[in-house]
Amino acid sequence: MAQTETNRRYTIADISGRDGRWELIDGIPYNMTPAPSTAHQKIVGELFFALRSHFGKSGCSVFVAPFDVQLEESDQHTIVQPDLSVFCKEQTIHSNQAIGVADLIVEVLSPSTALKDRNEKFTLYERSGVKEYWLVDPLNHTIELYGLSDGRYSRRQVFGVDDTLNSFVFPELSIEMKNILRG
């Protein structure tokens, strides 16, 4: 949930000294507590393993939260910690964060973050040029895959437990959903 003073637009420097984990989207700070549920963590772990197994061969890097991602170096009002992020350009990876656009971002919905992930982050990732965005819904056992085309996201497909996820941006990427979404 956002915790701000009315009409104040925060910078990355403003939140860097705060206790806990924070995201900043267009100047609005979001406290990243409470910790995610066990189901959330299991899904993130399984997806990390699948993505790392695939992308490790190609030279792309896969990161799991907490890992700061500043999508645009000049934007001092936005830094996020996606559940999973994939970067295929080595120059975006720095000693303690990534600066630049991710090729793929995955957010696992939690009751406290679902609206932010579906609205603010969706818009942020789309406008920043993240090629593919996955929204994982642990309650409904689905993954919604959005792909960037002409600067806009379109929902490409929704995958369930019995499906095999096939990426549109990375056509060689294929993941059995039963291994990820099992209840």
Side-chain angles (χ1 to χ4, degrees):
M1 176 181 286
Q3 296 181 0
T4 64
E5 296 172 24
T6 306
N7 297 323
R8 177 157 182 211
R9 191 165 184 232
Y10 290 78
T11 66
I12 294 169
D14 292 332
I15 67 164
S16 66
R18 289 188 177 187
D19 288 336
R21 291 180 40 225
W22 292 85
E23 288 186 318
L24 186 65
I25 301 174
D26 296 325
I28 301 171
Y30 294 88
N31 189 334
M32 299 299 292
T33 55
S37 69
T38 303
H40 181 284
Q41 291 296 79
K42 285 181 179 180
I43 289 170
V44 168
E46 292 294 334
L47 278 171
F48 177 78
F49 179 77
L51 292 173
R52 179 70 181 96
S53 296
H54 175 77
F55 286 110
K57 302 169 192 165
S58 67
C60 296
S61 298
V62 182
F63 295 93
V64 64
F67 182 71
D68 286 337
V69 176
Q70 185 177 345
L71 296 163
E72 297 177 36
E73 187 171 6
S74 63
D75 183 359
Q76 295 300 305
H77 295 95
T78 300
I79 194 162
V80 291
Q81 293 185 350
D83 288 311
L84 294 159
S85 51
V86 176
F87 294 87
C88 296
K89 294 179 185 145
E90 190 175 323
Q91 67 270 25
T92 60
I93 307 305
H94 299 266
S95 62
N96 61 348
Q97 68 180 12
I99 300 175
V101 178
D103 293 276
L104 167 65
I105 287 184
V106 179
E107 295 285 4
V108 179
L109 302 176
S110 297
S112 62
T113 66
L115 288 176
K116 179 178 63 162
D117 293 339
R118 289 189 176 281
N119 294 308
E120 287 86 356
K121 284 190 169 182
F122 181 97
T123 301
L124 171 65
Y125 298 152
E126 179 182 62
R127 125 178 135 226
S128 298
V130 174
K131 295 175 188 172
E132 199 161 89
Y133 182 38
W134 300 358
L135 281 169
V136 183
D137 185 340
L139 295 176
N140 293 307
H141 306 287
T142 60
I143 296 181
E144 298 171 34
L145 189 148
Y146 293 88
L148 197 64
S149 178
D150 297 322
R152 305 286 302 177
Y153 277 145
S154 59
R155 185 165 73 179
R156 304 292 187 158
Q157 196 164 354
V158 178
F159 298 93
V161 175
D162 297 326
D163 296 326
T164 299
L165 182 148
N166 294 296
S167 169
F168 287 88
V169 172
F170 305 99
E172 68 285 355
L173 175 59
S174 178
I175 302 172
E176 294 291 324
M177 291 294 92
K178 66 184 174 201
N179 298 327
I180 307 301
L181 298 172
R182 59 180 172 243

mmCIF file of all heavy atoms in Angstrom, residues 42-78:
data_model
loop_
_atom_site.group_PDB
_atom_site.id
_atom_site.type_symbol
_atom_site.label_atom_id
_atom_site.label_comp_id
_atom_site.label_asym_id
_atom_site.label_seq_id
_atom_site.Cartn_x
_atom_site.Cartn_y
_atom_site.Cartn_z
ATOM 1 N N LYS A 42 6.713 -20.356 -3.410
ATOM 2 C CA LYS A 42 6.900 -21.601 -4.167
ATOM 3 C C LYS A 42 6.831 -21.338 -5.661
ATOM 4 O O LYS A 42 7.646 -21.846 -6.431
ATOM 5 C CB LYS A 42 5.857 -22.640 -3.758
ATOM 6 C CG LYS A 42 6.125 -23.282 -2.424
ATOM 7 C CD LYS A 42 5.060 -24.325 -2.116
ATOM 8 C CE LYS A 42 5.325 -24.995 -0.792
ATOM 9 N NZ LYS A 42 4.305 -26.011 -0.474
ATOM 10 N N ILE A 43 5.854 -20.544 -6.076
ATOM 11 C CA ILE A 43 5.709 -20.225 -7.501
ATOM 12 C C ILE A 43 6.925 -19.460 -8.005
ATOM 13 O O ILE A 43 7.475 -19.769 -9.069
ATOM 14 C CB ILE A 43 4.407 -19.438 -7.757
ATOM 15 C CG1 ILE A 43 3.198 -20.361 -7.573
ATOM 16 C CG2 ILE A 43 4.402 -18.811 -9.152
ATOM 17 C CD1 ILE A 43 1.861 -19.651 -7.556
ATOM 18 N N VAL A 44 7.364 -18.460 -7.249
ATOM 19 C CA VAL A 44 8.549 -17.692 -7.644
ATOM 20 C C VAL A 44 9.757 -18.620 -7.761
ATOM 21 O O VAL A 44 10.525 -18.538 -8.730
ATOM 22 C CB VAL A 44 8.824 -16.537 -6.645
ATOM 23 C CG1 VAL A 44 10.191 -15.926 -6.889
ATOM 24 C CG2 VAL A 44 7.743 -15.474 -6.758
ATOM 25 N N GLY A 45 9.917 -19.529 -6.808
ATOM 26 C CA GLY A 45 11.043 -20.463 -6.845
ATOM 27 C C GLY A 45 11.012 -21.373 -8.060
ATOM 28 O O GLY A 45 12.032 -21.575 -8.727
ATOM 29 N N GLU A 46 9.848 -21.916 -8.362
ATOM 30 C CA GLU A 46 9.720 -22.805 -9.528
ATOM 31 C C GLU A 46 9.952 -22.050 -10.836
ATOM 32 O O GLU A 46 10.617 -22.554 -11.744
ATOM 33 C CB GLU A 46 8.339 -23.481 -9.537
ATOM 34 C CG GLU A 46 8.118 -24.466 -8.416
ATOM 35 C CD GLU A 46 9.017 -25.692 -8.486
ATOM 36 O OE1 GLU A 46 9.465 -26.071 -9.593
ATOM 37 O OE2 GLU A 46 9.281 -26.277 -7.419
ATOM 38 N N LEU A 47 9.392 -20.846 -10.931
ATOM 39 C CA LEU A 47 9.604 -20.050 -12.143
ATOM 40 C C LEU A 47 11.069 -19.626 -12.281
ATOM 41 O O LEU A 47 11.618 -19.634 -13.385
ATOM 42 C CB LEU A 47 8.696 -18.822 -12.156
ATOM 43 C CG LEU A 47 7.276 -19.059 -12.641
ATOM 44 C CD1 LEU A 47 6.414 -17.822 -12.406
ATOM 45 C CD2 LEU A 47 7.265 -19.447 -14.114
ATOM 46 N N PHE A 48 11.703 -19.251 -11.174
ATOM 47 C CA PHE A 48 13.122 -18.900 -11.222
ATOM 48 C C PHE A 48 13.931 -20.074 -11.756
ATOM 49 O O PHE A 48 14.779 -19.910 -12.639
ATOM 50 C CB PHE A 48 13.643 -18.473 -9.847
ATOM 51 C CG PHE A 48 15.123 -18.185 -9.861
ATOM 52 C CD1 PHE A 48 15.610 -16.997 -10.375
ATOM 53 C CD2 PHE A 48 16.022 -19.120 -9.372
ATOM 54 C CE1 PHE A 48 16.984 -16.736 -10.406
ATOM 55 C CE2 PHE A 48 17.392 -18.874 -9.396
ATOM 56 C CZ PHE A 48 17.870 -17.678 -9.919
ATOM 57 N N PHE A 49 13.669 -21.268 -11.229
ATOM 58 C CA PHE A 49 14.402 -22.453 -11.684
ATOM 59 C C PHE A 49 14.196 -22.673 -13.179
ATOM 60 O O PHE A 49 15.158 -22.904 -13.923
ATOM 61 C CB PHE A 49 13.955 -23.686 -10.888
ATOM 62 C CG PHE A 49 14.650 -24.939 -11.319
ATOM 63 C CD1 PHE A 49 15.959 -25.201 -10.920
ATOM 64 C CD2 PHE A 49 14.005 -25.853 -12.124
ATOM 65 C CE1 PHE A 49 16.612 -26.356 -11.334
ATOM 66 C CE2 PHE A 49 14.644 -27.013 -12.552
ATOM 67 C CZ PHE A 49 15.949 -27.266 -12.154
ATOM 68 N N ALA A 50 12.954 -22.587 -13.637
ATOM 69 C CA ALA A 50 12.660 -22.809 -15.062
ATOM 70 C C ALA A 50 13.311 -21.739 -15.938
ATOM 71 O O ALA A 50 13.921 -22.046 -16.978
ATOM 72 C CB ALA A 50 11.148 -22.825 -15.288
ATOM 73 N N LEU A 51 13.196 -20.475 -15.518
ATOM 74 C CA LEU A 51 13.773 -19.385 -16.313
ATOM 75 C C LEU A 51 15.295 -19.427 -16.284
ATOM 76 O O LEU A 51 15.954 -19.229 -17.314
ATOM 77 C CB LEU A 51 13.261 -18.028 -15.817
ATOM 78 C CG LEU A 51 11.778 -17.760 -16.045
ATOM 79 C CD1 LEU A 51 11.349 -16.471 -15.353
ATOM 80 C CD2 LEU A 51 11.443 -17.715 -17.537
ATOM 81 N N ARG A 52 15.883 -19.699 -15.119
ATOM 82 C CA ARG A 52 17.344 -19.767 -15.013
ATOM 83 C C ARG A 52 17.890 -20.931 -15.824
ATOM 84 O O ARG A 52 18.912 -20.812 -16.486
ATOM 85 C CB ARG A 52 17.748 -19.888 -13.534
ATOM 86 C CG ARG A 52 19.230 -19.980 -13.293
ATOM 87 C CD ARG A 52 19.910 -18.650 -13.606
ATOM 88 N NE ARG A 52 21.333 -18.762 -13.399
ATOM 89 C CZ ARG A 52 22.226 -19.013 -14.359
ATOM 90 N NH1 ARG A 52 21.837 -19.163 -15.598
ATOM 91 N NH2 ARG A 52 23.500 -19.097 -14.092
ATOM 92 N N SER A 53 17.177 -22.048 -15.798
ATOM 93 C CA SER A 53 17.612 -23.209 -16.589
ATOM 94 C C SER A 53 17.616 -22.872 -18.075
ATOM 95 O O SER A 53 18.511 -23.269 -18.811
ATOM 96 C CB SER A 53 16.698 -24.412 -16.330
ATOM 97 O OG SER A 53 16.785 -24.820 -14.991
ATOM 98 N N HIS A 54 16.613 -22.139 -18.509
ATOM 99 C CA HIS A 54 16.512 -21.779 -19.925
ATOM 100 C C HIS A 54 17.484 -20.661 -20.303
ATOM 101 O O HIS A 54 18.268 -20.796 -21.236
ATOM 102 C CB HIS A 54 15.084 -21.355 -20.274
ATOM 103 C CG HIS A 54 14.955 -20.856 -21.665
ATOM 104 N ND1 HIS A 54 14.916 -21.697 -22.755
ATOM 105 C CD2 HIS A 54 14.914 -19.597 -22.159
ATOM 106 C CE1 HIS A 54 14.844 -20.980 -23.854
ATOM 107 N NE2 HIS A 54 14.841 -19.700 -23.529
ATOM 108 N N PHE A 55 17.428 -19.550 -19.595
ATOM 109 C CA PHE A 55 18.200 -18.371 -19.985
ATOM 110 C C PHE A 55 19.680 -18.471 -19.639
ATOM 111 O O PHE A 55 20.497 -17.761 -20.219
ATOM 112 C CB PHE A 55 17.598 -17.103 -19.377
ATOM 113 C CG PHE A 55 16.335 -16.676 -20.046
ATOM 114 C CD1 PHE A 55 15.127 -16.773 -19.386
ATOM 115 C CD2 PHE A 55 16.344 -16.176 -21.341
ATOM 116 C CE1 PHE A 55 13.952 -16.380 -20.007
ATOM 117 C CE2 PHE A 55 15.187 -15.785 -21.968
ATOM 118 C CZ PHE A 55 13.982 -15.881 -21.306
ATOM 119 N N GLY A 56 20.042 -19.327 -18.706
ATOM 120 C CA GLY A 56 21.449 -19.485 -18.360
ATOM 121 C C GLY A 56 22.293 -19.918 -19.546
ATOM 122 O O GLY A 56 23.478 -19.603 -19.631
ATOM 123 N N LYS A 57 21.684 -20.594 -20.487
ATOM 124 C CA LYS A 57 22.387 -21.065 -21.685
ATOM 125 C C LYS A 57 22.578 -19.957 -22.711
ATOM 126 O O LYS A 57 23.427 -20.059 -23.578
ATOM 127 C CB LYS A 57 21.600 -22.211 -22.323
ATOM 128 C CG LYS A 57 21.372 -23.385 -21.405
ATOM 129 C CD LYS A 57 20.371 -24.345 -22.010
ATOM 130 C CE LYS A 57 19.937 -25.360 -20.965
ATOM 131 N NZ LYS A 57 18.736 -26.070 -21.382
ATOM 132 N N SER A 58 21.773 -18.914 -22.617
ATOM 133 C CA SER A 58 21.782 -17.880 -23.654
ATOM 134 C C SER A 58 22.546 -16.621 -23.264
ATOM 135 O O SER A 58 22.677 -15.708 -24.058
ATOM 136 C CB SER A 58 20.342 -17.495 -24.003
ATOM 137 O OG SER A 58 19.743 -16.850 -22.897
ATOM 138 N N GLY A 59 23.009 -16.561 -22.025
ATOM 139 C CA GLY A 59 23.724 -15.373 -21.584
ATOM 140 C C GLY A 59 22.840 -14.322 -20.941
ATOM 141 O O GLY A 59 23.327 -13.297 -20.483
ATOM 142 N N CYS A 60 21.546 -14.564 -20.880
ATOM 143 C CA CYS A 60 20.641 -13.645 -20.183
ATOM 144 C C CYS A 60 20.733 -13.918 -18.686
ATOM 145 O O CYS A 60 21.028 -15.032 -18.256
ATOM 146 C CB CYS A 60 19.203 -13.838 -20.648
ATOM 147 S SG CYS A 60 18.929 -13.453 -22.391
ATOM 148 N N SER A 61 20.466 -12.898 -17.877
ATOM 149 C CA SER A 61 20.501 -13.024 -16.420
ATOM 150 C C SER A 61 19.090 -12.975 -15.860
ATOM 151 O O SER A 61 18.277 -12.157 -16.294
ATOM 152 C CB SER A 61 21.318 -11.882 -15.813
ATOM 153 O OG SER A 61 22.655 -11.940 -16.260
ATOM 154 N N VAL A 62 18.817 -13.850 -14.886
ATOM 155 C CA VAL A 62 17.512 -13.910 -14.227
ATOM 156 C C VAL A 62 17.711 -13.520 -12.765
ATOM 157 O O VAL A 62 18.599 -14.051 -12.094
ATOM 158 C CB VAL A 62 16.905 -15.325 -14.309
ATOM 159 C CG1 VAL A 62 15.523 -15.351 -13.663
ATOM 160 C CG2 VAL A 62 16.843 -15.808 -15.752
ATOM 161 N N PHE A 63 16.865 -12.595 -12.285
ATOM 162 C CA PHE A 63 16.958 -12.124 -10.909
ATOM 163 C C PHE A 63 15.624 -12.319 -10.198
ATOM 164 O O PHE A 63 14.564 -12.194 -10.806
ATOM 165 C CB PHE A 63 17.352 -10.645 -10.861
ATOM 166 C CG PHE A 63 18.731 -10.403 -11.391
ATOM 167 C CD1 PHE A 63 18.921 -10.066 -12.716
ATOM 168 C CD2 PHE A 63 19.835 -10.539 -10.569
ATOM 169 C CE1 PHE A 63 20.194 -9.870 -13.219
ATOM 170 C CE2 PHE A 63 21.113 -10.334 -11.054
ATOM 171 C CZ PHE A 63 21.298 -10.000 -12.393
ATOM 172 N N VAL A 64 15.713 -12.591 -8.906
ATOM 173 C CA VAL A 64 14.539 -12.769 -8.061
ATOM 174 C C VAL A 64 14.536 -11.657 -7.010
ATOM 175 O O VAL A 64 15.607 -11.215 -6.567
ATOM 176 C CB VAL A 64 14.536 -14.189 -7.431
ATOM 177 C CG1 VAL A 64 15.703 -14.394 -6.497
ATOM 178 C CG2 VAL A 64 13.228 -14.502 -6.751
ATOM 179 N N ALA A 65 13.362 -11.189 -6.630
ATOM 180 C CA ALA A 65 13.234 -10.138 -5.618
ATOM 181 C C ALA A 65 13.785 -10.642 -4.293
ATOM 182 O O ALA A 65 13.671 -11.836 -3.995
ATOM 183 C CB ALA A 65 11.775 -9.722 -5.466
ATOM 184 N N PRO A 66 14.379 -9.768 -3.512
ATOM 185 C CA PRO A 66 14.497 -8.333 -3.742
ATOM 186 C C PRO A 66 15.707 -7.996 -4.621
ATOM 187 O O PRO A 66 16.833 -8.356 -4.296
ATOM 188 C CB PRO A 66 14.691 -7.748 -2.341
ATOM 189 C CG PRO A 66 15.308 -8.857 -1.550
ATOM 190 C CD PRO A 66 14.810 -10.136 -2.164
ATOM 191 N N PHE A 67 15.459 -7.358 -5.731
ATOM 192 C CA PHE A 67 16.482 -6.871 -6.650
ATOM 193 C C PHE A 67 15.930 -5.608 -7.294
ATOM 194 O O PHE A 67 14.872 -5.645 -7.930
ATOM 195 C CB PHE A 67 16.810 -7.926 -7.711
ATOM 196 C CG PHE A 67 17.892 -7.493 -8.664
ATOM 197 C CD1 PHE A 67 19.207 -7.386 -8.247
ATOM 198 C CD2 PHE A 67 17.582 -7.188 -9.982
ATOM 199 C CE1 PHE A 67 20.209 -6.987 -9.132
ATOM 200 C CE2 PHE A 67 18.569 -6.793 -10.865
ATOM 201 C CZ PHE A 67 19.893 -6.690 -10.446
ATOM 202 N N ASP A 68 16.628 -4.498 -7.092
ATOM 203 C CA ASP A 68 16.153 -3.209 -7.602
ATOM 204 C C ASP A 68 16.317 -3.111 -9.110
ATOM 205 O O ASP A 68 17.381 -3.438 -9.652
ATOM 206 C CB ASP A 68 16.916 -2.054 -6.956
ATOM 207 C CG ASP A 68 16.509 -1.800 -5.520
ATOM 208 O OD1 ASP A 68 15.385 -2.185 -5.143
ATOM 209 O OD2 ASP A 68 17.312 -1.208 -4.771
ATOM 210 N N VAL A 69 15.258 -2.639 -9.760
ATOM 211 C CA VAL A 69 15.261 -2.410 -11.197
ATOM 212 C C VAL A 69 14.846 -0.961 -11.438
ATOM 213 O O VAL A 69 13.727 -0.567 -11.119
ATOM 214 C CB VAL A 69 14.305 -3.377 -11.934
ATOM 215 C CG1 VAL A 69 14.250 -3.055 -13.420
ATOM 216 C CG2 VAL A 69 14.725 -4.828 -11.694
ATOM 217 N N GLN A 70 15.770 -0.197 -11.979
ATOM 218 C CA GLN A 70 15.501 1.186 -12.386
ATOM 219 C C GLN A 70 15.400 1.163 -13.903
ATOM 220 O O GLN A 70 16.400 1.066 -14.600
ATOM 221 C CB GLN A 70 16.621 2.115 -11.907
ATOM 222 C CG GLN A 70 16.356 3.564 -12.177
ATOM 223 C CD GLN A 70 17.471 4.461 -11.624
ATOM 224 O OE1 GLN A 70 18.293 4.046 -10.817
ATOM 225 N NE2 GLN A 70 17.486 5.694 -12.088
ATOM 226 N N LEU A 71 14.191 1.218 -14.414
ATOM 227 C CA LEU A 71 13.944 0.999 -15.833
ATOM 228 C C LEU A 71 14.558 2.068 -16.737
ATOM 229 O O LEU A 71 14.928 1.776 -17.870
ATOM 230 C CB LEU A 71 12.442 0.871 -16.088
ATOM 231 C CG LEU A 71 11.809 -0.358 -15.415
ATOM 232 C CD1 LEU A 71 10.310 -0.213 -15.345
ATOM 233 C CD2 LEU A 71 12.201 -1.626 -16.138
ATOM 234 N N GLU A 72 14.664 3.284 -16.237
ATOM 235 C CA GLU A 72 15.274 4.366 -17.003
ATOM 236 C C GLU A 72 16.249 5.111 -16.104
ATOM 237 O O GLU A 72 15.865 5.589 -15.028
ATOM 238 C CB GLU A 72 14.205 5.334 -17.513
ATOM 239 C CG GLU A 72 13.224 4.705 -18.478
ATOM 240 C CD GLU A 72 12.130 5.665 -18.903
ATOM 241 O OE1 GLU A 72 12.423 6.867 -19.058
ATOM 242 O OE2 GLU A 72 11.001 5.199 -19.065
ATOM 243 N N GLU A 73 17.495 5.224 -16.526
ATOM 244 C CA GLU A 73 18.515 5.852 -15.697
ATOM 245 C C GLU A 73 18.150 7.283 -15.318
ATOM 246 O O GLU A 73 18.406 7.732 -14.206
ATOM 247 C CB GLU A 73 19.866 5.845 -16.415
ATOM 248 C CG GLU A 73 21.000 6.327 -15.554
ATOM 249 C CD GLU A 73 22.349 6.110 -16.193
ATOM 250 O OE1 GLU A 73 22.424 5.687 -17.349
ATOM 251 O OE2 GLU A 73 23.351 6.381 -15.499
ATOM 252 N N SER A 74 17.523 7.998 -16.228
ATOM 253 C CA SER A 74 17.186 9.402 -15.971
ATOM 254 C C SER A 74 15.963 9.575 -15.064
ATOM 255 O O SER A 74 15.728 10.665 -14.548
ATOM 256 C CB SER A 74 16.945 10.136 -17.288
ATOM 257 O OG SER A 74 15.826 9.568 -17.956
ATOM 258 N N ASP A 75 15.200 8.515 -14.845
ATOM 259 C CA ASP A 75 13.987 8.600 -14.023
ATOM 260 C C ASP A 75 14.336 8.342 -12.564
ATOM 261 O O ASP A 75 14.524 7.196 -12.150
ATOM 262 C CB ASP A 75 12.941 7.601 -14.502
ATOM 263 C CG ASP A 75 11.635 7.690 -13.741
ATOM 264 O OD1 ASP A 75 11.519 8.521 -12.801
ATOM 265 O OD2 ASP A 75 10.710 6.917 -14.068
ATOM 266 N N GLN A 76 14.422 9.397 -11.784
ATOM 267 C CA GLN A 76 14.755 9.287 -10.367
ATOM 268 C C GLN A 76 13.511 9.118 -9.488
ATOM 269 O O GLN A 76 13.598 9.187 -8.267
ATOM 270 C CB GLN A 76 15.561 10.511 -9.911
ATOM 271 C CG GLN A 76 16.922 10.605 -10.584
ATOM 272 C CD GLN A 76 17.786 9.384 -10.276
ATOM 273 O OE1 GLN A 76 18.016 9.040 -9.129
ATOM 274 N NE2 GLN A 76 18.251 8.701 -11.324
ATOM 275 N N HIS A 77 12.357 8.887 -10.125
ATOM 276 C CA HIS A 77 11.101 8.740 -9.387
ATOM 277 C C HIS A 77 10.526 7.324 -9.466
ATOM 278 O O HIS A 77 9.402 7.092 -9.022
ATOM 279 C CB HIS A 77 10.065 9.745 -9.905
ATOM 280 C CG HIS A 77 10.471 11.164 -9.642
ATOM 281 N ND1 HIS A 77 11.114 11.932 -10.562
ATOM 282 C CD2 HIS A 77 10.340 11.931 -8.541
ATOM 283 C CE1 HIS A 77 11.362 13.123 -10.058
ATOM 284 N NE2 HIS A 77 10.908 13.148 -8.817
ATOM 285 N N THR A 78 11.294 6.388 -10.037
ATOM 286 C CA THR A 78 10.774 5.029 -10.188
ATOM 287 C C THR A 78 11.884 4.007 -10.029
ATOM 288 O O THR A 78 12.904 4.069 -10.728
ATOM 289 C CB THR A 78 10.108 4.847 -11.569
ATOM 290 O OG1 THR A 78 9.026 5.788 -11.683
ATOM 291 C CG2 THR A 78 9.559 3.449 -11.735
#
